[in-house]
Amino acid sequence: MTQYDTLRPVQWKDGQLRLLDQRRLPGAEQWLMIDAVDAVRDAIFTMVVRGAPAIGCTAAYGMAIATRKAPDDPTLFAEKIAADAQTLKDARPTAVNLAWAVDRVAGVIRARLGDGVDSAREAALAEAHAITEEDVQFCKDMGAHSLPFIPDGARLLTHCNAGALATGGYGTALGVARAAAEAGKLKMVYADETRPRQQGARLTAWELHHDGIPVTLISDTVAGSLMVRGEIDLVVVGSDRIAANGDVANKIGTYQVAILAAYHEIPFYVAAPLSTVDFETPTGDGIPIEERDGDEVAIIDGTRIVPEGVPCRNPAFDVTPHTLVKAIFTDKGVALAPFVESLAKLRDL
Amino acid sequence: MTQYDTLRPVQWKDGQLRLLDQRRLPGAEQWLMIDAVDAVRDAIFTMVVRGAPAIGCTAAYGMAIATRKAPDDPTLFAEKIAADAQTLKDARPTAVNLAWAVDRVAGVIRARLGDGVDSAREAALAEAHAITEEDVQFCKDMGAHSLPFIPDGARLLTHCNAGALATGGYGTALGVARAAAEAGKLKMVYADETRPRQQGARLTAWELHHDGIPVTLISDTVAGSLMVRGEIDLVVVGSDRIAANGDVANKIGTYQVAILAAYHEIPFYVAAPLSTVDFETPTGDGIPIEERDGDEVAIIDGTRIVPEGVPCRNPAFDVTPHTLVKAIFTDKGVALAPFVESLAKLRDL
């Protein structure tokens, strides 16, 4: 059985952080070798790496780099680590996994500093490895839990990129696709282009093609037509944040796809680690939606597609109400409606 | 009161067909001079001109050119005209106006051929002019008929370009917007980008901005989000072919927008001249859907956005079932459900 767990966008090699430069995909597969905290910060800020779990792994290695660059004197070491931790957290202050990963490595460093700075250095790197390996394992667990919901010969539609590139590896929504492919159940992944940033074309199509998984690209305008022709069996997407009631924030356009799926009686699934569920936020109304610069819509690869002076609206995310969600695949198991109960139950396992 | 009827994409000038090259918008306003039937066919096929009514006007002038190039011998003349008519009709399969316009000019040519080929030539050109002028007037009539359905301060969503650029002038769906603007009822037109060819960004935004009508561009992923926020009052689109029962073929993505409108209880209107109704086709199932080359999806302005080897599906149109259509604005009046009756009644007026 083919295993699709080889694509790792965040690696540690020859004592340095090795990152796949996702801004250059699909045209070039270029890897950056990074050996400084400021460079890690820049890589996150400029979206060399994106996807909340992948950012977390990157930041964890950033902390490992911090320990290697910090002075040997324990007091100066601790001061430098604290400053670098803040630098990393500030790269994208809204990404929850970023702060979580930095704090987790910082805790290990503090715990081991009593044994000397070299012990702390060793522990920091081990923790970064652990965070990344755990992330991959969570994705595989999610994929395994999803299998009973995947029909044979599945034609799966996804939106944006919730793949290996967005995680330590394997992916959330695309982890479901990989698990289905490994189980011999996958016929085709249809990837929505996902305007304005085209993550479906540039990232999802690239990573599935890279792994030899069948993928077909469609414009965001085409999903409904494929559905009415009976060419889509299920929809699987990732999530940036899930409210306690199961309302799902994800890339702009997800909400529409969920409505189209409901209209055509096609199941709409969300794949996300349980850490994506924000139990402090009761419903999707409490999830703030980032509005990004209109030039992301107006300009593609340097070419302006709309006249100067025409405004563009550019909300980056939307919220899909839980009523449109059939199930949420997590690393701990599958949540079904009512989600307010099933998600809490998985948390308390 | 401002009048918005100056933009004419299909012109006859100095004995030649003059077409605005819509592939170059919005970056450049370039006009092509055309003096051969094959060049007219190519202009339609390569989408120098697009939009069912504008294609009809262009094809009508193509027939006028055919008469000017055909031999003086009446038999050879008639043979050449028949062949050229077929060449023009084969340029694109979905739009009904293309065949309709060709047949209309062909009918006039046949009727006048008894008076000699020069008489037929004169009549063909006059008929092409008449088709174009009628088309502009029909658009204005459509706009006038739509006004009772337009609320004050209307925020209108449209898909693709059913504008002056898609017609002889003034536009169908954008004719409704122009009429609303002239009546002081229009607050904003939201233009779907309309991937893959981006007619919303490149054409609709261009022509409304050109006329000083307020327009905002959105990615195709955003319409549902604006609807759920209460920022869209109505949807108006054009059509390439309407079946006798009111099923509407239009640019890919229209069907999705209609579903989103229904989900949010927002009225979905179609604006099209009665000539767009194909009474020979009982339902949308009988409308052929053109599948175009996947490179239209994969390559934007010369830049490939998806890896080589990844297939792209590219249906150019879809069919919106009449059950999702609130009303059809025609030049003869407004058709309401049941459309099979109301459309036939307008035809028989």
Side-chain angles (χ1 to χ4, degrees), chain A residues 209-283:
Chain A
H209 191 62
H210 175 278
D211 274 7
I213 294 173
V215 59
T216 297
L217 178 67
I218 58 171
S219 297
D220 297 302
T221 47
V222 177
S225 276
L226 292 191
M227 288 179 180
V228 77
R229 295 182 193 187
E231 298 188 36
I232 304 290
D233 300 303
L234 73 164
V235 179
V236 186
V237 300
S239 174
D240 294 83
R241 194 170 174 186
I242 298 173
N245 71 341
D247 290 350
V248 172
N250 194 41
K251 184 57 52 193
I252 187 73
T254 304
Y255 170 58
Q256 296 187 182
V257 175
I259 293 169
L260 297 176
Y263 183 84
H264 297 95
E265 298 180 353
I266 294 167
F268 178 91
Y269 300 116
V270 176
L274 204 63
S275 59
T276 303
V277 183
D278 178 1
F279 289 98
E280 304 302 307
T281 299
T283 76

Side-chain angles (χ1 to χ4, degrees), chain A residues 151-217:
Chain A
D152 284 330
R155 296 159 302 174
L156 182 161
L157 173 70
T158 191
H159 190 75
C160 197
N161 175 264
L165 292 171
T167 57
Y170 205 75
T172 55
L174 297 191
V176 171
R178 283 187 168 83
E182 288 169 4
K185 294 177 114 181
L186 184 75
K187 184 171 179 189
M188 180 60 69
V189 175
Y190 287 98
D192 268 348
E193 178 185 5
T194 316
R195 281 280 288 144
R197 292 186 68 99
Q198 307 170 304
Q199 293 93 336
R202 297 181 186 273
L203 304 180
T204 291
W206 182 86
E207 75 162 78
L208 295 180
H209 191 62
H210 175 278
D211 274 7
I213 294 173
V215 59
T216 297
L217 178 67

Side-chain angles (χ1 to χ4, degrees), chain B residues 93-95 241 249 284-290 317:
Chain B
T94 300
R241 190 189 294 208
D285 294 342
I287 301 176
I289 299 299
E290 178 185 6
F317 300 94

Side-chain angles (χ1 to χ4, degrees), chain B residues 9-330:
Chain B
V10 180
Q11 304 177 359
W12 186 258
K13 195 172 179 185
D14 304 330
Q16 296 191 29
L17 176 60
R18 184 170 184 257
L19 292 179
L20 178 57
D21 189 347
Q22 301 190 27
R23 301 167 306 176
R24 303 207 166 234
L25 294 174
E29 187 175 332
Q30 185 172 320
W31 293 81
L32 302 182
M33 299 301 293
I34 293 180
D35 193 25
V37 172
D38 284 349
V40 176
R41 181 232 163 247
D42 289 349
I44 293 169
F45 180 71
T46 64
M47 299 177 72
V48 168
V49 64
R50 24 65 53 207
I55 288 172
C57 300
T58 302
Y61 283 115
M63 288 295 284
I65 290 171
T67 62
R68 298 156 79 95
K69 301 290 176 179
D72 287 333
D73 173 82
T75 305
L76 295 176
F77 179 93
E79 279 173 12
K80 185 71 170 73
I81 293 299
D84 284 348
Q86 197 56 50
T87 295
L88 290 168
K89 283 185 186 181
D90 288 346
R92 292 190 73 189
T94 300
V96 72
N97 309 54
L98 171 53
W100 170 85
V102 168
D103 287 341
R104 180 165 154 184
V105 181
V108 168
I109 293 170
R110 269 194 306 277
R112 290 281 287 274
L113 196 50
D115 300 336
V117 294
D118 279 340
S119 175
R121 286 171 177 139
E122 192 183 306
L125 183 58
E127 196 68 10
H129 288 325
I131 284 172
T132 304
E133 291 310 310
E134 274 173 24
D135 192 59
V136 176
Q137 189 56 50
F138 285 175
C139 288
K140 291 184 178 179
D141 294 345
M142 229 175 281
H145 292 311
S146 74
L147 279 180
F149 294 81
I150 313 299
D152 284 330
R155 296 160 303 175
L156 182 161
L157 173 69
T158 191
H159 190 75
C160 196
N161 175 264
L165 292 171
T167 58
Y170 202 76
T172 54
L174 297 191
V176 171
R178 283 187 168 83
E182 288 170 4
K185 294 177 116 181
L186 183 75
K187 184 171 178 190
M188 180 59 68
V189 175
Y190 287 98
D192 268 348
E193 178 186 2
T194 317
R195 282 281 286 144
R197 294 187 67 99
Q198 306 170 305
Q199 293 92 336
R202 297 181 186 273
L203 305 181
T204 292
W206 182 84
E207 76 163 77
L208 294 180
H209 191 63
H210 175 278
D211 275 7
I213 294 173
V215 58
T216 297
L217 178 68
I218 58 172
S219 296
D220 296 301
T221 47
V222 177
S225 278
L226 291 191
M227 288 179 180
V228 76
R229 295 181 194 187
E231 297 188 37
I232 304 290
D233 300 305
L234 73 165
V235 179
V236 187
V237 301
S239 174
D240 295 82
R241 190 189 294 208
I242 299 174
N245 72 340
D247 291 350
V248 173
N250 193 42
K251 183 56 51 191
I252 188 71
T254 303
Y255 170 58
Q256 296 187 181
V257 174
I259 293 169
L260 298 176
Y263 184 83
H264 297 94
E265 298 181 352
I266 293 166
F268 178 90
Y269 300 116
V270 176
L274 207 62
S275 60
T276 303
V277 182
D278 178 1
F279 289 98
E280 304 302 307
T281 300
T283 76
D285 294 342
I287 301 176
I289 299 299
E290 178 185 6
E291 286 263 352
R292 293 180 65 90
D293 195 296
D295 278 355
E296 284 190 348
V297 180
I299 299 170
I300 302 178
D301 285 316
T303 300
R304 175 170 281 274
I305 61 161
V306 64
E308 292 272 6
V310 173
C312 302
R313 287 285 296 275
N314 188 16
F317 300 94
D318 57 31
V319 174
T320 299
H322 63 276
T323 49
L324 295 173
V325 178
K326 185 89 171 173
I328 301 173
F329 306 139
T330 82

